[in-house]
């Protein structure tokens, strides 16, 4: 079974540009999470979905960030406009609630550099 | 709020030797899960081992085992017979429970970089 798939793996953009990160969760998983990893702040939960519905977006830093999950197999995290402080690795993770293990399955991350 | 602390930014071990990574956490909950995740240079976070707080027995997965001290809120990872492939960043993580609105909201420690010397 394929794991969580994220794209792009690397993105370099200029300040002010729109950035869209994509994620395909593991088939059958009903939870999807977006995490951000930086040296200063470590791993932070940005937002998560249950059955495509956003449940908690309290970690989203500001209005420049938005996330959608139009169906069970696809989610996007958008930053508009991007700023240098958004440079980080963004991870998508998915899990299955009825597994009762609490385990999250992570993608390989998207490394974003905003110049 | 729950916090997870890894006091060792870096650790090193000789191949085939044993190393222990430390983790402490703060919570007022009685039911929760604890995890160790490994992040190799490829960046992907991989689950190493998990522990349910209600279980007294320490979890073991092959060469990886934990020392879970609930009263002390300590959760250390022991890697036996270390291999070069064990070199990675290791994160301790806490999950309040596996249900409700907090499901999946892992709180991570700062990470420990493990170097394995041949």
């Amino acid at each position: 079974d394929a794991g969580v798939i994220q794209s792009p793996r690397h993105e370099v953009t200029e300040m002010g540009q729109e950035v869209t990160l994509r994620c395909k969760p593991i088939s059958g998983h009903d939870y999807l999470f977006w995490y951000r990893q930086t040296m200063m702040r470590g791993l932070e939960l940005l937002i998560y979905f249950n059955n495509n519905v956003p449940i908690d977006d309290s970690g989203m830093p500001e209005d420049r960030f938005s996330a959608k999950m139009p169906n069970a197999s696809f989610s996007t995290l958008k930053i508009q406009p991007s700023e240098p402080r958004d440079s980080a690795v963004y991870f998508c993770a998915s899990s299955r609630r009825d597994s009762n293990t609490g385990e999250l399955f992570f993608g390989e991350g998207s490394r974003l550099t905003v110049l | 709020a729950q916090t997870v602390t890894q006091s060792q930014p870096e650790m090193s071990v000789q191949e085939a030797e044993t190393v222990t990574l430390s983790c402490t956490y703060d919570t007022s909950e009685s039911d929760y899960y604890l995890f160790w995740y490994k992040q190799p240079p490829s960046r992907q976070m991989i689950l190493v081992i998990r522990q349910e707080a209600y279980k007294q027995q320490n979890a073991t997965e092959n060469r990886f085992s934990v020392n879970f001290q609930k009263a002390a809120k300590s959760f250390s990872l022991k890697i036996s017979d270390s291999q070069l492939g064990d070199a990675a960043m290791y994160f301790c993580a806490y999950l309040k429970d596996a249900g409700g609105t907090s499901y999946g909201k892992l709180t991570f420690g700062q990470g420990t970089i493990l170097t394995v010397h041949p």
Side-chain angles (χ1 to χ4, degrees):
Chain A
D1 188 19
V4 175
I5 300 172
Q6 291 187 246
S7 65
R9 188 150 169 76
H10 304 276
E11 173 102 6
V12 180
T13 190
E14 293 188 348
M15 183 174 63
Q17 297 298 305
E18 177 180 293
V19 174
T20 300
L21 307 178
R22 299 173 177 80
C23 175
K24 176 179 170 56
I26 294 172
S27 176
H29 283 191
D30 52 351
Y31 280 80
L32 183 139
F33 306 83
W34 282 101
Y35 280 85
R36 178 172 68 175
Q37 184 178 30
T38 61
M39 289 292 292
M40 292 296 294
R41 300 175 67 88
L43 279 153
E44 305 171 277
L45 176 65
L46 300 178
I47 185 171
Y48 78 98
F49 297 82
N50 175 220
N51 291 324
N52 314 336
V53 176
I55 301 301
D56 185 346
D57 65 354
S58 60
M60 296 285 263
E62 48 196 275
D63 292 345
R64 297 184 297 105
F65 285 70
S66 63
K68 294 182 180 179
M69 191 166 186
N71 57 63
S73 59
F74 184 66
S75 176
T76 59
L77 178 66
K78 185 175 293 186
I79 308 171
Q80 166 65 17
S82 59
E83 297 182 2
R85 59 190 169 127
D86 301 331
S87 298
V89 180
Y90 291 82
F91 286 99
C92 177
S94 70
S95 66
R96 205 181 75 214
R97 171 68 179 90
D98 62 3
S99 70
N100 285 323
T101 66
E103 179 180 357
L104 268 61
F105 294 81
F106 286 80
E108 293 183 325
S110 294
R111 179 179 294 280
L112 173 65
T113 302
V114 183
L115 303 174
Chain B
Q2 290 81 20
T3 58
V4 178
T5 303
Q6 293 178 247
S7 59
Q8 305 155 317
E10 298 183 29
M11 291 285 284
S12 64
V13 64
Q14 290 293 131
E15 197 175 5
E17 297 295 311
T18 296
V19 64
T20 298
L21 308 183
S22 301
C23 173
T24 59
Y25 58 95
D26 183 27
T27 184
S28 58
E29 305 292 330
S30 58
D31 294 324
Y32 49 88
Y33 291 75
L34 295 165
F35 305 85
W36 279 98
Y37 277 87
K38 171 184 178 181
Q39 186 178 37
S42 66
R43 289 206 308 254
Q44 188 169 18
M45 301 280 285
I46 303 166
L47 179 67
V48 174
I49 198 165
R50 61 188 286 274
Q51 174 82 42
E52 293 93 332
Y54 67 85
K55 289 186 177 179
Q56 294 186 341
Q57 186 173 8
N58 289 323
T60 300
E61 288 287 343
N62 300 313
R63 297 182 296 106
F64 299 87
S65 62
V66 299
N67 183 4
F68 173 50
Q69 301 291 326
K70 190 172 184 178
K73 296 179 183 176
S74 170
F75 183 61
S76 61
L77 174 69
K78 185 171 81 171
I79 306 174
S80 303
D81 186 24
S82 297
Q83 300 176 0
L84 295 178
D86 295 334
M89 174 88 88
Y90 286 82
F91 290 94
C92 179
Y94 167 98
L95 177 68
K96 178 181 176 181
D97 57 40
T101 57
S102 65
Y103 180 70
K105 294 178 70 172
L106 289 175
T107 300
F108 287 91
Q110 304 93 319
T112 298
I113 299 172
L114 177 65
T115 302
V116 181
H117 298 289

